[in-house]
Amino acid sequence: TKGMITIDPGFKNTGSCESAITFLDGEKGILRYRGYSIEELAEKADFLEVAYALIFGDLPNKEELAKFHKDIKDESHVDEEMKKILDGFPKSAHPMGVLSSLTSALIAFNPSTVDVSSDEDMYHAIVRILAKFPVLVAWTLRKKKGLPLDYGDDSLGYVENIHKMMFKRPNQDYKKNKVVIEALDKLLILHADHEQNCSTSTVRIVGSSHAGLFASLSAGISALWGPLHGGANQAVLEMLEAIEADGGDTKKYMAKAKDKSDPFRLMGFGHRVYKNFDPRAKIIKVAADEVLADLGINDPILDIAKGLEKEALEDQYFVDRKLYPNVDFYSGIIYRALGIPTEMFTVMFALGRLPGWIAQWREMRLNGEPIGRPRQVYTGENLRSFVELDKR
Ligand code: SDX
């Protein structure tokens, strides 16, 4: 603290807003969306109704849900010109960078400055992004695989249609796999919101300047990309594959994670708020066993993950620092079983977090929050005179 300013790096002890959307208790490992427990929602709800509840405040009734889904279907075309932007990316481009760009590019083809005083205007912008973002996700994946950019099938459910758009092979019938769709739906629900995490705080602060919804979401996608945040799910798989390549030598990686001179961290472990098991990790761990068993997949990576978890939970360094598996530790194992490429894992996180970002942006604007502009404590040079170039 210097004078009136208290510095709080990473805002570890700073509340940025009041919010009625998500409640979490880091000590007790509790997570609720609009008062509903994540355990119940993951078990009984589907992703679209959770998205509705997060954004509009409560679970929709039959008519509201049907109208929401119909309005989304009516908006699920993407301007053909957008394909030219996608064509501009090399195949090697990371999907998160592509998606952040395409989300921003949507602004050129859709009104995205929302008149927040009009519920109608806000509703249409929300429906447009919930309709078009999954198409961009599917096109980004298909582009990487050299597949034609196509649409899904409006007769399908929201998540099933996303899966079909991502994986439909040319001149092959799309075969629905109930286990896969239910696993995907559950994963998207578990990622849907998480109060003021890094990417959500980014969406809020960008939106606080009254930048449009799509521009704010594009910024959120970039923040989520970082390996300390949503990028961790990709980093977990890369870590587990490295351990497997090292003959399953988990001890070596535990030692690296504790070595202060080594920047390596045990990816998928630790959390700013959860100082106990991340409730989402608990559910995803059980789902990983179920999905792999249902799909008849025996993935040694899952065994390595469980071995690593067991070691970490018994290691004093991790116990002292209350480092437990977080949402990213097991999710990649399921994505892999669903045939999603590792580079797309964080995109799946963004797909799940989209309704949460939208809900938080909407709440921030409806609450008339002021523009985010923190202060600082200056530690640079005192006043000094300019020195001509030939005298420097
Ligand atoms: C998500 O905020 C959210 O809600 C995020 C999220 C969401 O839904 O939006 O939950 C999603 O991002 C989950 C987190 C995914 N990230 C990872 O798995 C990356 C690995 N984890 C860490 O980098 C870290 O745990 C963070 C970033 C998650 C939290 O970091 P903090 O709160 O800033 O804690 P810290 O870096 O100050 O660490 C405290 C201590 C340090 O040691 P000391 O200096 O006290 O000796 O714990 C150590 C750290 O070195 N530590 C780790 C570690 N995480 C923390 N040591 C080894 N491996 C780790 N993973």
Side-chain angles (χ1 to χ4, degrees):
T1 300
K2 253 191 174 177
M4 291 297 288
I5 307 290
T6 301
I7 304 295
D8 181 19
F11 313 119
K12 294 192 174 187
N13 303 297
T14 296
S16 61
C17 63
E18 291 182 342
S19 175
I21 299 168
T22 289
F23 170 77
L24 65 88
D25 179 317
E27 293 308 322
K28 299 195 188 100
I30 294 171
L31 175 58
R32 297 181 198 137
Y33 298 156
R34 296 289 184 185
Y36 299 103
S37 81
I38 194 66
E39 290 76 12
E40 273 215 289
L41 291 173
E43 200 49 46
K44 299 173 184 170
D46 72 33
F47 180 56
L48 198 57
E49 59 186 335
V50 169
Y52 187 99
L54 281 167
I55 295 167
F56 299 110
D58 203 348
L59 289 167
N61 62 32
K62 269 206 191 84
E63 295 72 36
E64 289 162 335
L65 185 57
K67 179 181 182 315
F68 193 47
H69 194 190
K70 181 192 173 311
D71 293 342
I72 286 171
K73 287 181 200 176
D74 291 350
E75 279 287 352
S76 60
H77 54 280
V78 172
D79 196 299
E80 280 296 301
E81 294 286 291
M82 289 282 286
K83 291 181 180 176
K84 290 183 186 156
I85 300 169
L86 188 53
D87 286 341
F89 286 98
K91 271 203 170 52
S92 58
H94 193 290
M96 286 296 274
V98 173
L99 264 176
S100 176
S101 309
L102 291 180
T103 303
S104 245
L106 274 179
I107 300 166
F109 300 94
N110 297 276
S112 93
T113 41
V114 180
D115 168 8
V116 293
S117 63
S118 145
D119 288 347
E120 188 74 12
D121 202 34
M122 175 88 82
Y123 179 81
H124 281 138
I126 289 166
V127 159
R128 269 195 290 274
I129 192 69
L130 284 171
K132 299 177 195 298
F133 191 74
V135 178
L136 301 181
V137 167
W139 284 4
T140 301
L141 173 60
R142 298 179 74 85
K143 185 83 196 153
K144 232 172 180 16
K145 292 184 164 179
L147 291 170
L149 305 185
D150 206 340
Y151 286 95
D153 173 347
D154 273 358
S155 68
L156 300 176
Y158 185 68
V159 172
E160 189 183 355
N161 184 38
I162 292 171
H163 188 265
K164 177 169 186 176
M165 285 194 286
M166 289 175 73
F167 291 100
K168 175 172 167 277
R169 309 296 285 184
N171 54 58
Q172 267 182 18
D173 288 340
Y174 170 74
K175 285 183 291 303
K176 169 176 175 175
N177 179 322
K178 198 165 161 293
V179 171
V180 167
I181 301 306
E182 279 176 7
L184 201 44
D185 200 279
K186 185 176 281 189
L187 279 169
L188 293 174
I189 289 173
L190 291 169
H191 285 82
D193 193 52
H194 213 239
E195 54 132 282
Q196 305 310 316
N197 59 85
C198 177
S199 54
T200 300
S201 299
T202 301
V203 169
R204 277 183 171 254
I205 201 162
V206 170
S208 73
S209 74
H210 290 192
L213 175 57
F214 294 11
S216 306
L217 293 171
S218 173
I221 293 166
S222 297
L224 187 72
W225 192 358
L228 295 188
H229 191 14
N233 58 15
Q234 175 177 341
V236 167
L237 245 292
E238 288 161 355
M239 172 185 72
L240 294 172
E241 284 168 342
I243 293 174
E244 185 189 34
D246 245 343
D249 181 2
T250 48
K251 289 202 177 351
K252 173 177 165 185
Y253 287 81
M254 288 288 291
K256 275 171 65 73
K258 298 187 283 189
D259 175 355
K260 288 298 171 199
S261 63
D262 187 333
F264 172 78
R265 288 190 159 189
L266 212 58
M267 301 316 277
F269 265 81
H271 198 276
R272 172 62 55 76
V273 182
Y274 289 125
K275 298 308 171 192
N276 199 321
F277 240 89
D278 181 332
R280 300 166 297 177
K282 269 187 193 162
I283 299 171
I284 295 174
K285 180 179 178 181
V286 169
D289 275 326
E290 286 167 356
V291 170
L292 268 66
D294 289 343
L295 296 176
I297 296 172
N298 173 25
D299 186 349
I301 289 283
L302 180 57
D303 301 329
I304 291 181
K306 289 181 177 175
L308 192 59
E309 176 193 347
K310 190 173 176 310
E311 263 193 74
L313 295 182
E314 291 161 3
D315 182 287
Q316 208 49 49
Y317 176 100
F318 282 78
V319 170
D320 290 349
R321 291 165 179 78
K322 300 183 188 299
L323 302 176
Y324 292 89
N326 58 48
V327 66
D328 293 309
F329 188 63
Y330 284 105
S331 52
I333 289 165
I334 299 182
Y335 289 141
R336 194 163 110 125
L338 302 185
I340 294 169
T342 310
E343 264 209 330
M344 288 288 290
F345 286 5
T346 312
V347 166
M348 299 313 288
F349 193 145
L351 193 56
R353 187 52 53 89
L354 182 62
W357 284 334
I358 292 170
Q360 300 270 353
W361 186 92
R362 178 175 179 274
E363 181 181 71
M364 175 274 303
R365 288 303 309 275
L366 293 184
N367 287 353
E369 304 271 348
I371 185 168
R373 201 265 183 234
R375 299 304 308 278
Q376 63 163 31
V377 169
Y378 179 68
T379 58
E381 299 284 345
N382 285 328
L383 177 64
R384 53 182 172 164
S385 306
F386 183 78
V387 178
E388 297 302 332
L389 181 57
D390 55 10
K391 293 195 173 61
R392 288 181 218 154

